[in-house]
Coordinates of all heavy atoms in Angstrom, one line a residue:
M79 N -8.8 51.4 248.4 CA -9.9 52.1 247.6 C -11.2 52.1 248.4 O -11.6 51.1 249.0 CB -10.2 51.2 246.3 CG -11.2 51.8 245.4 SD -11.4 50.9 243.9 CE -11.9 49.3 244.5
A80 N -11.8 53.3 248.5 CA -13.0 53.4 249.3 C -14.2 52.7 248.6 O -14.4 52.8 247.4 CB -13.4 54.9 249.5
V81 N -14.9 51.9 249.4 CA -16.1 51.2 248.9 C -17.3 51.6 249.7 O -17.2 51.6 250.9 CB -15.9 49.7 248.9 CG1 -17.0 49.0 248.1 CG2 -14.5 49.3 248.5
D82 N -18.4 51.9 249.1 CA -19.6 52.3 249.8 C -20.5 51.0 250.1 O -20.7 50.2 249.2 CB -20.5 53.3 249.0 CG -19.8 54.6 249.0 OD1 -19.1 54.9 250.0 OD2 -20.0 55.4 248.1
R83 N -20.9 51.0 251.3 CA -21.9 50.0 251.7 C -23.2 50.3 251.1 O -23.6 51.5 251.1 CB -22.0 50.1 253.3 CG -22.9 49.2 254.0 CD -22.8 49.6 255.5 NE -23.5 48.7 256.3 CZ -24.8 48.7 256.5 NH1 -25.6 49.6 255.9 NH2 -25.4 47.7 257.3
L84 N -23.9 49.3 250.5 CA -25.2 49.6 249.9 C -26.3 49.7 251.0 O -26.2 49.0 252.1 CB -25.6 48.5 249.0 CG -24.7 48.3 247.7 CD1 -25.1 47.1 247.0 CD2 -24.9 49.5 246.8
S85 N -27.3 50.5 250.8 CA -28.4 50.6 251.7 C -29.3 49.3 251.6 O -29.2 48.6 250.6 CB -29.3 51.8 251.4 OG -30.0 51.6 250.2
D86 N -30.1 49.1 252.7 CA -31.0 47.9 252.6 C -31.9 48.0 251.4 O -32.2 46.9 250.8 CB -31.8 47.8 253.9 CG -31.0 47.5 255.1 OD1 -29.8 47.1 254.9 OD2 -31.5 47.6 256.2
D87 N -32.3 49.2 251.0 CA -33.2 49.3 249.9 C -32.5 48.9 248.6 O -33.0 48.3 247.7 CB -33.8 50.7 249.8 CG -34.9 51.0 250.8 OD1 -35.4 50.0 251.4 OD2 -35.3 52.1 251.0
D88 N -31.2 49.4 248.5 CA -30.4 49.1 247.3 C -30.2 47.6 247.2 O -30.3 47.0 246.1 CB -29.0 49.7 247.4 CG -29.0 51.2 247.0 OD1 -30.0 51.6 246.3 OD2 -28.1 51.9 247.4
I89 N -30.0 46.9 248.3 CA -29.7 45.5 248.3 C -31.0 44.8 247.9 O -31.0 43.9 247.0 CB -29.3 45.0 249.7 CG1 -27.9 45.6 250.0 CG2 -29.2 43.5 249.8 CD1 -27.5 45.5 251.5
K90 N -32.1 45.2 248.4 CA -33.4 44.5 248.1 C -33.7 44.7 246.6 O -34.2 43.8 245.9 CB -34.5 45.1 248.9 CG -34.8 44.3 250.1 CD -36.2 44.8 250.7 CE -36.0 44.9 252.2 NZ -36.7 46.0 252.8
A91 N -33.4 45.9 246.1 CA -33.6 46.1 244.6 C -32.8 45.3 243.7 O -33.1 44.9 242.6 CB -33.4 47.6 244.3
R92 N -31.6 45.0 244.2 CA -30.6 44.2 243.3 C -30.7 42.7 243.5 O -30.3 42.0 242.6 CB -29.2 44.6 243.7 CG -28.9 46.0 243.2 CD -27.5 46.3 243.5 NE -27.2 47.7 243.4 CZ -26.1 48.3 243.1 NH1 -25.0 47.5 242.8 NH2 -25.9 49.6 243.1
L93 N -31.3 42.2 244.6 CA -31.3 40.8 244.8 C -32.0 40.0 243.7 O -31.5 38.9 243.4 CB -31.9 40.5 246.2 CG -31.0 40.3 247.3 CD1 -31.8 40.0 248.6 CD2 -30.1 39.1 247.1
P94 N -33.1 40.5 243.1 CA -33.8 39.7 242.1 C -32.8 39.5 240.9 O -33.0 38.5 240.1 CB -34.9 40.6 241.7 CG -35.2 41.4 242.9 CD -33.9 41.7 243.5
G95 N -31.8 40.3 240.7 CA -30.8 40.0 239.6 C -29.9 38.8 239.9 O -29.2 38.3 239.0
L96 N -30.0 38.3 241.1 CA -29.2 37.1 241.5 C -30.1 36.1 242.2 O -30.1 36.0 243.4 CB -28.1 37.5 242.5 CG -27.0 38.4 242.0 CD1 -26.1 38.8 243.2 CD2 -26.1 37.6 241.0
P97 N -31.0 35.5 241.4 CA -32.1 34.7 242.0 C -31.6 33.5 242.9 O -32.3 33.1 243.8 CB -32.8 34.1 240.8 CG -32.0 34.5 239.6 CD -31.0 35.5 239.9
E98 N -30.4 33.1 242.7 CA -29.9 31.9 243.5 C -29.2 32.4 244.8 O -28.9 31.6 245.7 CB -28.9 31.1 242.7 CG -29.4 30.6 241.4 CD -30.5 29.6 241.6 OE1 -30.6 29.0 242.6 OE2 -31.3 29.5 240.6
W99 N -29.1 33.7 245.0 CA -28.5 34.2 246.2 C -29.5 34.8 247.1 O -30.5 35.3 246.7 CB -27.5 35.3 245.8 CG -26.3 34.8 245.0 CD1 -26.3 34.4 243.7 CD2 -25.0 34.5 245.5 NE1 -25.0 34.0 243.3 CE2 -24.2 34.0 244.4 CE3 -24.3 34.7 246.7 CZ2 -22.9 33.7 244.5 CZ3 -23.0 34.3 246.8 CH2 -22.3 33.8 245.7
S100 N -29.2 34.7 248.4 CA -30.1 35.3 249.4 C -29.4 36.2 250.4 O -28.1 36.0 250.5 CB -30.9 34.2 250.1 OG -30.1 33.4 250.7
L101 N -30.1 36.9 251.1 CA -29.5 37.7 252.2 C -29.6 36.9 253.4 O -30.8 36.5 253.8 CB -30.4 39.0 252.3 CG -29.7 40.2 253.0 CD1 -28.4 40.6 252.4 CD2 -30.7 41.4 252.9
R102 N -28.5 36.6 254.1 CA -28.5 35.8 255.3 C -27.6 36.4 256.3 O -26.4 36.5 256.0 CB -28.1 34.4 254.9 CG -28.2 33.4 256.0 CD -27.4 32.1 255.7 NE -28.3 31.1 255.1 CZ -28.2 29.8 255.3 NH1 -27.1 29.4 256.0 NH2 -29.0 29.0 254.8
D103 N -28.1 36.8 257.4 CA -27.3 37.4 258.5 C -26.4 38.5 257.9 O -25.2 38.6 258.2 CB -26.4 36.3 259.1 CG -27.2 35.2 259.8 OD1 -28.3 35.5 260.3 OD2 -26.7 34.1 259.9
G104 N -27.0 39.3 257.0 CA -26.3 40.5 256.6 C -25.2 40.3 255.5 O -24.5 41.2 255.2
V105 N -25.2 39.1 254.9 CA -24.3 38.8 253.8 C -25.0 38.2 252.7 O -26.1 37.7 252.8 CB -23.1 37.8 254.2 CG1 -22.4 38.4 255.4 CG2 -23.7 36.4 254.5
L106 N -24.4 38.3 251.5 CA -25.0 37.6 250.3 C -24.5 36.1 250.4 O -23.3 35.9 250.5 CB -24.4 38.2 249.0 CG -25.1 39.3 248.3 CD1 -24.4 39.6 247.0 CD2 -26.6 39.0 248.1
Y107 N -25.5 35.2 250.2 CA -25.2 33.8 250.5 C -25.7 32.9 249.4 O -26.8 33.1 248.9 CB -25.9 33.4 251.8 CG -25.8 31.9 252.1 CD1 -24.7 31.4 252.7 CD2 -26.8 31.1 251.7 CE1 -24.6 30.0 253.0 CE2 -26.7 29.7 252.0 CZ -25.6 29.2 252.6 OH -25.5 27.9 252.9
R108 N -24.9 32.0 249.0 CA -25.4 30.9 248.1 C -24.7 29.6 248.4 O -23.5 29.6 248.7 CB -25.1 31.3 246.6 CG -25.6 30.2 245.7 CD -25.6 30.5 244.2 NE -26.0 29.3 243.5 CZ -26.1 29.2 242.2 NH1 -25.8 30.3 241.4 NH2 -26.5 28.1 241.6
A109 N -25.5 28.5 248.4 CA -24.9 27.2 248.6 C -24.9 26.4 247.2 O -25.8 26.6 246.4 CB -25.8 26.4 249.6
F110 N -23.8 25.7 247.0 CA -23.6 25.0 245.8 C -23.3 23.5 246.1 O -22.7 23.2 247.2 CB -22.3 25.5 245.1 CG -22.3 26.9 244.8 CD1 -21.9 27.9 245.8 CD2 -22.6 27.4 243.5 CE1 -21.9 29.2 245.5 CE2 -22.6 28.8 243.2 CZ -22.3 29.7 244.2
R111 N -23.8 22.6 245.2 CA -23.5 21.2 245.4 C -23.0 20.6 244.1 O -23.6 20.9 243.0 CB -24.8 20.5 245.8 CG -24.6 19.0 246.2 CD -26.0 18.4 246.5 NE -26.5 18.9 247.7 CZ -26.4 18.3 248.9 NH1 -25.8 17.1 249.0 NH2 -27.0 18.8 250.0
F112 N -21.9 19.9 244.2 CA -21.3 19.3 243.0 C -21.3 17.8 243.1 O -21.8 17.2 244.1 CB -19.8 19.8 242.9 CG -19.8 21.4 242.7 CD1 -19.7 22.2 243.9 CD2 -19.9 21.9 241.5 CE1 -19.7 23.6 243.7 CE2 -19.9 23.3 241.3 CZ -19.8 24.1 242.5
S113 N -20.8 17.2 242.0 CA -20.9 15.7 242.0 C -19.9 15.1 243.0 O -20.2 14.0 243.5 CB -20.7 15.1 240.6 OG -19.5 15.6 240.1
D114 N -18.8 15.7 243.2 CA -17.8 15.2 244.2 C -16.9 16.3 244.6 O -17.0 17.4 244.2 CB -17.1 14.0 243.5 CG -16.4 14.4 242.2 OD1 -16.2 15.6 242.0 OD2 -16.1 13.5 241.4
F115 N -15.9 15.9 245.4 CA -14.9 16.9 245.9 C -14.1 17.6 244.8 O -13.9 18.8 244.9 CB -14.0 16.2 246.9 CG -13.0 17.2 247.5 CD1 -13.3 18.2 248.4 CD2 -11.6 17.1 247.0 CE1 -12.3 19.0 248.9 CE2 -10.7 17.9 247.5 CZ -11.0 18.9 248.4
S116 N -13.7 16.8 243.9 CA -12.9 17.3 242.8 C -13.6 18.4 242.0 O -13.0 19.5 241.7 CB -12.6 16.1 241.9 OG -11.7 16.5 240.9
E117 N -14.9 18.2 241.8 CA -15.7 19.3 241.1 C -15.8 20.5 242.0 O -15.7 21.6 241.5 CB -17.1 18.7 240.7 CG -17.1 17.7 239.6 CD -16.6 18.2 238.3 OE1 -17.0 19.4 237.9 OE2 -15.9 17.5 237.6
A118 N -16.1 20.3 243.2 CA -16.2 21.4 244.2 C -14.9 22.2 244.3 O -14.9 23.4 244.2 CB -16.7 20.9 245.5
F119 N -13.8 21.5 244.4 CA -12.6 22.2 244.6 C -12.1 22.9 243.3 O -11.5 23.9 243.3 CB -11.5 21.2 245.1 CG -10.4 21.9 245.7 CD1 -10.5 22.5 247.0 CD2 -9.2 22.1 245.0 CE1 -9.5 23.2 247.6 CE2 -8.1 22.9 245.6 CZ -8.3 23.4 246.9
G120 N -12.4 22.3 242.1 CA -12.1 22.9 240.9 C -12.9 24.2 240.8 O -12.3 25.3 240.3
F121 N -14.1 24.2 241.2 CA -15.0 25.4 241.2 C -14.3 26.5 242.1 O -14.2 27.6 241.8 CB -16.4 25.1 241.6 CG -17.2 26.2 242.0 CD1 -17.7 27.1 241.0 CD2 -17.6 26.5 243.3 CE1 -18.6 28.2 241.3 CE2 -18.4 27.6 243.7 CZ -18.9 28.4 242.7
M122 N -13.9 26.0 243.3 CA -13.3 26.9 244.2 C -12.0 27.6 243.7 O -11.7 28.8 243.9 CB -13.0 26.2 245.6 CG -14.3 25.9 246.3 SD -14.0 24.9 247.8 CE -13.4 26.1 248.9
A123 N -11.3 26.8 242.9 CA -10.0 27.3 242.3 C -10.4 28.4 241.3 O -9.7 29.4 241.3 CB -9.3 26.2 241.7
R124 N -11.4 28.2 240.5 CA -11.8 29.2 239.5 C -12.3 30.4 240.2 O -12.1 31.6 239.8 CB -12.9 28.6 238.6 CG -12.3 27.5 237.7 CD -13.2 27.2 236.5 NE -14.5 26.7 236.9 CZ -14.7 25.4 237.3 NH1 -13.8 24.5 237.2 NH2 -15.9 25.0 237.7
V125 N -13.1 30.2 241.3 CA -13.6 31.4 242.1 C -12.4 32.2 242.7 O -12.3 33.4 242.7 CB -14.5 31.0 243.2 CG1 -14.8 32.1 244.1 CG2 -15.8 30.4 242.6
A126 N -11.4 31.4 243.2 CA -10.2 32.1 243.8 C -9.5 33.0 242.8 O -9.1 34.1 243.1 CB -9.3 31.0 244.3
L127 N -9.4 32.5 241.5 CA -8.7 33.3 240.5 C -9.5 34.6 240.2 O -9.0 35.7 240.0 CB -8.5 32.5 239.2 CG -7.5 31.3 239.4 CD1 -7.5 30.5 238.1 CD2 -6.1 31.8 239.7
E128 N -10.8 34.4 240.1 CA -11.7 35.5 239.8 C -11.7 36.5 241.0 O -11.6 37.8 240.8 CB -13.1 35.0 239.6 CG -14.1 35.9 238.9 CD -13.6 36.3 237.5 OE1 -13.3 35.4 236.7 OE2 -13.5 37.5 237.2
A129 N -11.6 36.0 242.2 CA -11.5 36.9 243.4 C -10.2 37.7 243.4 O -10.2 38.9 243.7 CB -11.6 36.1 244.7
E130 N -9.2 37.1 242.9 CA -7.9 37.8 242.8 C -8.0 38.9 241.8 O -7.5 40.0 242.0 CB -6.7 36.8 242.5 CG -6.3 36.1 243.7 CD -5.5 37.0 244.7 OE1 -4.3 37.2 244.6 OE2 -6.2 37.5 245.6
R131 N -8.6 38.5 240.6 CA -8.7 39.5 239.5 C -9.5 40.8 240.0 O -9.2 41.9 239.7 CB -9.5 38.9 238.4 CG -8.6 38.3 237.3 CD -9.4 37.8 236.1 NE -8.8 36.6 235.7 CZ -9.4 35.4 235.8 NH1 -10.6 35.3 236.2 NH2 -8.7 34.3 235.4
L132 N -10.5 40.5 240.8 CA -11.4 41.6 241.3 C -10.8 42.2 242.6 O -11.3 43.2 243.0 CB -12.8 41.0 241.6 CG -14.0 41.8 241.6 CD1 -14.1 42.6 240.3 CD2 -15.3 41.0 241.8
D133 N -9.8 41.6 243.2 CA -9.4 42.0 244.5 C -10.5 42.0 245.5 O -10.7 43.0 246.2 CB -8.6 43.3 244.4 CG -7.9 43.6 245.7 OD1 -7.5 42.6 246.5 OD2 -7.7 44.8 246.1
H134 N -11.3 41.0 245.4 CA -12.5 40.9 246.4 C -12.7 39.4 246.7 O -12.8 38.6 245.7 CB -13.7 41.5 245.7 CG -14.8 41.8 246.7 ND1 -14.6 42.7 247.7 CD2 -16.0 41.3 246.9 CE1 -15.7 42.8 248.5 NE2 -16.5 41.9 248.0
H135 N -12.8 39.1 247.9 CA -12.6 37.7 248.3 C -13.8 37.1 249.1 O -14.3 37.8 249.9 CB -11.3 37.5 249.1 CG -10.1 38.0 248.3 ND1 -9.7 39.3 248.3 CD2 -9.3 37.3 247.5 CE1 -8.6 39.4 247.5 NE2 -8.4 38.2 247.0
P136 N -14.1 35.9 248.8 CA -15.3 35.3 249.5 C -14.9 34.8 250.9 O -13.8 34.5 251.2 CB -15.6 34.1 248.6 CG -14.3 33.7 248.0 CD -13.5 34.9 247.8
E137 N -16.0 34.6 251.7 CA -15.9 33.8 252.9 C -16.6 32.5 252.5 O -17.7 32.6 251.9 CB -16.6 34.4 254.1 CG -15.9 35.7 254.5 CD -16.6 36.4 255.6 OE1 -17.4 35.8 256.3 OE2 -16.4 37.6 255.7
W138 N -16.0 31.4 252.7 CA -16.6 30.2 252.3 C -16.3 29.0 253.1 O -15.3 29.0 253.9 CB -16.3 29.9 250.8 CG -14.8 29.9 250.4 CD1 -13.7 29.9 251.2 CD2 -14.3 30.0 249.1 NE1 -12.6 29.9 250.5 CE2 -12.9 30.0 249.1 CE3 -14.9 30.0 247.8 CZ2 -12.1 30.0 248.0 CZ3 -14.1 30.0 246.7 CH2 -12.7 30.1 246.8
Q139 N -17.1 27.9 252.9 CA -16.9 26.7 253.6 C -17.1 25.6 252.6 O -18.0 25.6 251.7 CB -18.0 26.5 254.7 CG -17.7 25.3 255.6 CD -18.9 25.0 256.5 OE1 -20.0 25.5 256.3 NE2 -18.6 24.3 257.5
N140 N -16.3 24.5 252.7 CA -16.4 23.4 251.8 C -16.4 22.1 252.6 O -15.6 21.9 253.5 CB -15.1 23.4 250.9 CG -15.0 22.0 250.2 OD1 -13.9 21.4 250.3 ND2 -16.0 21.5 249.5
V141 N -17.4 21.3 252.4 CA -17.5 20.0 252.9 C -17.8 19.0 251.8 O -18.8 19.0 251.2 CB -18.7 19.9 254.0 CG1 -18.7 18.4 254.5 CG2 -18.5 20.9 255.1
Y142 N -16.7 18.2 251.5 CA -16.8 17.3 250.3 C -17.3 17.9 249.0 O -16.6 18.7 248.4 CB -17.5 16.0 250.7 CG -17.5 15.0 249.6 CD1 -16.4 14.6 249.0 CD2 -18.8 14.5 249.2 CE1 -16.4 13.6 248.0 CE2 -18.8 13.5 248.1 CZ -17.6 13.1 247.5 OH -17.6 12.2 246.5
N143 N -18.6 17.7 248.7 CA -19.1 18.2 247.4 C -19.9 19.5 247.6 O -20.5 19.9 246.6 CB -19.9 17.1 246.7 CG -21.2 16.8 247.5 OD1 -21.2 17.0 248.7 ND2 -22.2 16.3 246.8
Q144 N -19.9 20.0 248.8 CA -20.7 21.2 249.0 C -19.8 22.4 249.3 O -18.8 22.3 250.0 CB -21.6 21.0 250.2 CG -22.6 19.9 250.0 CD -23.4 19.6 251.3 OE1 -23.9 20.5 251.9 NE2 -23.4 18.3 251.6
V145 N -20.2 23.5 248.7 CA -19.5 24.8 248.9 C -20.6 25.8 249.3 O -21.6 26.0 248.7 CB -18.8 25.3 247.7 CG1 -18.1 26.6 247.9 CG2 -17.8 24.2 247.2
Q146 N -20.3 26.5 250.4 CA -21.2 27.6 250.8 C -20.4 28.9 250.8 O -19.3 29.0 251.3 CB -21.7 27.4 252.2 CG -22.7 26.3 252.3 CD -22.9 25.9 253.8 OE1 -22.1 25.5 254.5 NE2 -24.1 26.3 254.2
I147 N -20.9 29.9 250.1 CA -20.2 31.2 249.9 C -21.0 32.3 250.5 O -22.2 32.5 250.3 CB -19.9 31.5 248.4 CG1 -19.1 30.4 247.8 CG2 -19.3 32.8 248.2 CD1 -18.6 30.6 246.4
S148 N -20.3 33.1 251.3 CA -20.9 34.3 251.9 C -20.0 35.5 251.4 O -18.8 35.5 251.4 CB -20.7 34.3 253.4 OG -21.5 33.3 253.9
L149 N -20.8 36.5 250.9 CA -20.1 37.7 250.4 C -20.4 38.9 251.2 O -21.6 39.2 251.4 CB -20.5 37.9 248.9 CG -20.1 36.8 247.9 CD1 -20.6 37.1 246.5 CD2 -18.6 36.5 247.9
T150 N -19.4 39.6 251.6 CA -19.6 40.9 252.3 C -18.3 41.7 252.0 O -17.3 41.2 251.6 CB -19.9 40.7 253.8 OG1 -20.2 42.0 254.4 CG2 -18.7 40.1 254.5
T151 N -18.4 43.0 252.3 CA -17.2 43.9 252.0 C -16.7 44.3 253.4 O -17.3 45.2 254.0 CB -17.6 45.0 251.1 OG1 -18.1 44.5 249.9 CG2 -16.4 45.9 250.8
H152 N -15.6 43.8 253.8 CA -15.0 44.2 255.1 C -14.7 45.6 255.2 O -15.0 46.3 256.2 CB -13.8 43.3 255.4 CG -14.0 41.8 255.1 ND1 -13.3 41.1 254.2 CD2 -15.0 41.0 255.7 CE1 -13.8 39.9 254.2 NE2 -14.8 39.8 255.1
D153 N -14.2 46.2 254.1 CA -13.8 47.6 254.0 C -15.0 48.5 254.2 O -14.8 49.7 254.6 CB -13.0 47.9 252.7 CG -11.7 47.2 252.6 OD1 -11.2 46.6 253.6 OD2 -11.2 47.1 251.5
A154 N -16.2 48.0 253.8 CA -17.3 48.9 253.9 C -18.3 48.6 255.1 O -19.2 49.3 255.3 CB -18.1 48.8 252.6
G155 N -18.0 47.5 255.7 CA -18.8 47.1 256.9 C -20.2 46.6 256.4 O -21.2 46.9 257.1
G156 N -20.3 46.0 255.3 CA -21.6 45.6 254.8 C -21.5 45.1 253.3 O -20.4 44.9 252.8
I157 N -22.6 45.0 252.7 CA -22.6 44.5 251.3 C -22.4 45.7 250.4 O -23.0 46.8 250.6 CB -24.0 43.8 251.0 CG1 -24.1 42.5 251.8 CG2 -24.1 43.5 249.5 CD1 -25.4 41.9 251.7
S158 N -21.6 45.6 249.4 CA -21.3 46.6 248.4 C -21.5 46.1 247.0 O -21.7 44.9 246.8 CB -19.9 47.1 248.6 OG -19.0 46.2 248.0
D159 N -21.3 47.0 246.0 CA -21.3 46.7 244.6 C -20.4 45.5 244.3 O -20.7 44.7 243.4 CB -20.8 47.8 243.8 CG -21.9 48.8 243.4 OD1 -23.0 48.5 243.5 OD2 -21.5 50.0 243.1
R160 N -19.3 45.5 245.0 CA -18.3 44.5 244.7 C -18.8 43.1 245.0 O -18.4 42.1 244.4 CB -17.0 44.8 245.5 CG -16.4 46.1 245.1 CD -15.3 46.6 246.0 NE -14.1 45.8 246.1 CZ -13.1 45.9 245.2 NH1 -13.3 46.7 244.2 NH2 -12.1 45.2 245.3
D161 N -19.6 43.0 246.0 CA -20.2 41.6 246.3 C -21.2 41.2 245.2 O -21.2 40.0 244.9 CB -20.9 41.7 247.7 CG -20.0 42.0 248.8 OD1 -19.0 41.3 249.0 OD2 -20.2 43.1 249.5
F162 N -22.0 42.1 244.7 CA -22.8 41.8 243.6 C -22.0 41.4 242.4 O -22.4 40.5 241.7 CB -23.8 42.9 243.4 CG -25.0 42.9 244.3 CD1 -24.9 43.5 245.5 CD2 -26.1 42.1 244.0 CE1 -26.0 43.5 246.4 CE2 -27.2 42.1 244.9 CZ -27.1 42.8 246.1
E163 N -21.0 42.1 242.1 CA -20.1 41.8 241.0 C -19.5 40.5 241.1 O -19.5 39.7 240.2 CB -19.0 42.9 240.9 CG -18.0 42.7 239.7 CD -18.7 42.8 238.4 OE1 -19.7 43.6 238.2 OE2 -18.2 42.1 237.4
L164 N -19.0 40.2 242.3 CA -18.3 38.8 242.5 C -19.4 37.7 242.4 O -19.1 36.7 241.8 CB -17.6 38.8 243.8 CG -16.8 37.5 244.1 CD1 -15.9 37.1 243.0 CD2 -16.1 37.5 245.5
A165 N -20.6 37.9 242.9 CA -21.6 36.9 242.9 C -22.0 36.6 241.4 O -22.1 35.4 241.0 CB -22.9 37.4 243.6
Q166 N -22.0 37.7 240.6 CA -22.3 37.5 239.2 C -21.2 36.7 238.5 O -21.5 35.8 237.7 CB -22.4 38.8 238.5 CG -23.9 39.2 238.1 CD -24.0 40.6 237.7 OE1 -23.0 41.3 237.5 NE2 -25.2 41.1 237.7
R167 N -20.0 37.0 238.8 CA -18.9 36.3 238.2 C -18.8 34.9 238.6 O -18.5 34.0 237.9 CB -17.6 37.0 238.5 CG -17.5 38.4 237.8 CD -16.1 38.9 238.0 NE -16.0 40.3 237.6 CZ -14.9 41.0 237.3 NH1 -13.8 40.4 237.4 NH2 -15.0 42.3 237.0
I168 N -19.2 34.6 239.9 CA -19.2 33.2 240.4 C -20.3 32.4 239.7 O -20.0 31.3 239.2 CB -19.5 33.2 241.9 CG1 -18.2 33.8 242.7 CG2 -19.8 31.8 242.4 CD1 -18.5 34.0 244.2
D169 N -21.4 33.0 239.5 CA -22.5 32.3 238.8 C -22.0 31.9 237.3 O -22.4 30.9 236.8 CB -23.8 33.1 238.7 CG -24.5 33.1 240.0 OD1 -24.1 32.4 240.9 OD2 -25.5 33.9 240.2
A170 N -21.3 32.9 236.7 CA -20.8 32.6 235.4 C -19.8 31.5 235.3 O -19.5 31.0 234.2 CB -20.3 33.9 234.8
L171 N -19.2 31.1 236.4 CA -18.2 30.1 236.4 C -18.8 28.7 236.5 O -18.1 27.7 236.3 CB -17.3 30.2 237.6 CG -16.4 31.5 237.6 CD1 -15.6 31.6 238.9 CD2 -15.4 31.4 236.4
L172 N -20.1 28.6 236.8 CA -20.7 27.3 237.0 C -20.8 26.5 235.7 O -20.9 27.2 234.6 CB -22.1 27.5 237.5 CG -22.1 27.9 239.0 CD1 -23.6 28.3 239.4 CD2 -21.6 26.8 239.9
P173 N -20.6 25.2 235.7 CA -20.7 24.4 234.5 C -22.0 24.5 233.8 O -23.0 24.8 234.4 CB -20.4 23.0 234.9 CG -20.3 23.0 236.4 CD -20.4 24.4 236.9
Ligands
H2B184 C1 -6.4 46.0 250.2 C2 -7.5 45.3 249.5 O1 -8.0 46.0 248.4 C3 -8.6 45.0 250.4 O2 -8.2 44.5 251.7 C4 -9.7 44.1 249.8 C5 -9.3 42.6 249.5 N1 -10.4 41.8 249.5 C6 -11.5 42.0 250.1 N2 -12.5 41.2 250.1 C7 -13.7 41.4 250.7 N3 -14.7 40.5 250.7 N4 -13.9 42.6 251.4 C8 -12.9 43.5 251.4 O3 -13.1 44.6 252.1 C9 -11.7 43.3 250.7 N5 -10.8 44.2 250.7

């Protein structure tokens, strides 16, 4: 499926809708901290299921109770609507 990369202006206009996310090195980025590994990994499992539903997948790193997520659209060579959609769904999964 063809996906369009958003322009810098589009991205700037949409970022306020995701106050916890920032633009970092050309990707949508958010860091999460949980009480322990189990909580962090449970969250990652829920994100993985959502990513499969959307057929759009995060780049992420986990260190014990911390999860860092970067969103970009490989097929578009930049940030697309799909990244904003996944970011919103990720936020909705938080306890
Ligand atoms: C074929 C399939 O739709 C694509 O490869 C999807 C899968 N998940 C994806 N995830 C992300 N982040 N970017 C993509 O371009 C992408 N493409």
Side-chain angles (χ1 to χ4, degrees):
M79 185 177 57
V81 193
D82 288 331
R83 177 183 192 278
L84 294 172
S85 70
D86 290 350
D87 283 349
D88 280 340
I89 294 166
K90 266 193 223 138
R92 289 184 198 207
L93 264 178
L96 291 172
E98 304 297 334
W99 294 76
S100 58
L101 198 55
R102 186 194 263 212
D103 298 329
V105 303
L106 267 186
Y107 173 86
R108 180 171 176 181
F110 303 83
R111 186 184 291 264
F112 298 90
S113 52
D114 56 22
F115 176 74
S116 186
E117 289 295 318
F119 199 76
F121 167 73
M122 292 174 78
R124 293 194 297 279
V125 171
L127 294 175
E128 200 58 51
E130 280 292 271
R131 267 184 220 115
L132 202 56
D133 190 26
H134 197 66
H135 301 86
E137 294 176 23
W138 53 12
Q139 188 190 19
N140 164 234
V141 179
Y142 182 53
N143 65 336
Q144 297 174 51
V145 179
Q146 291 171 290
I147 298 186
S148 296
L149 300 178
T150 185
T151 302
H152 312 119
D153 296 344
I157 295 173
S158 74
D159 274 342
R160 295 163 72 78
D161 298 303
F162 279 89
E163 178 63 33
L164 182 55
Q166 250 165 17
R167 293 191 190 195
I168 289 172
D169 283 354
L171 292 173
L172 287 169

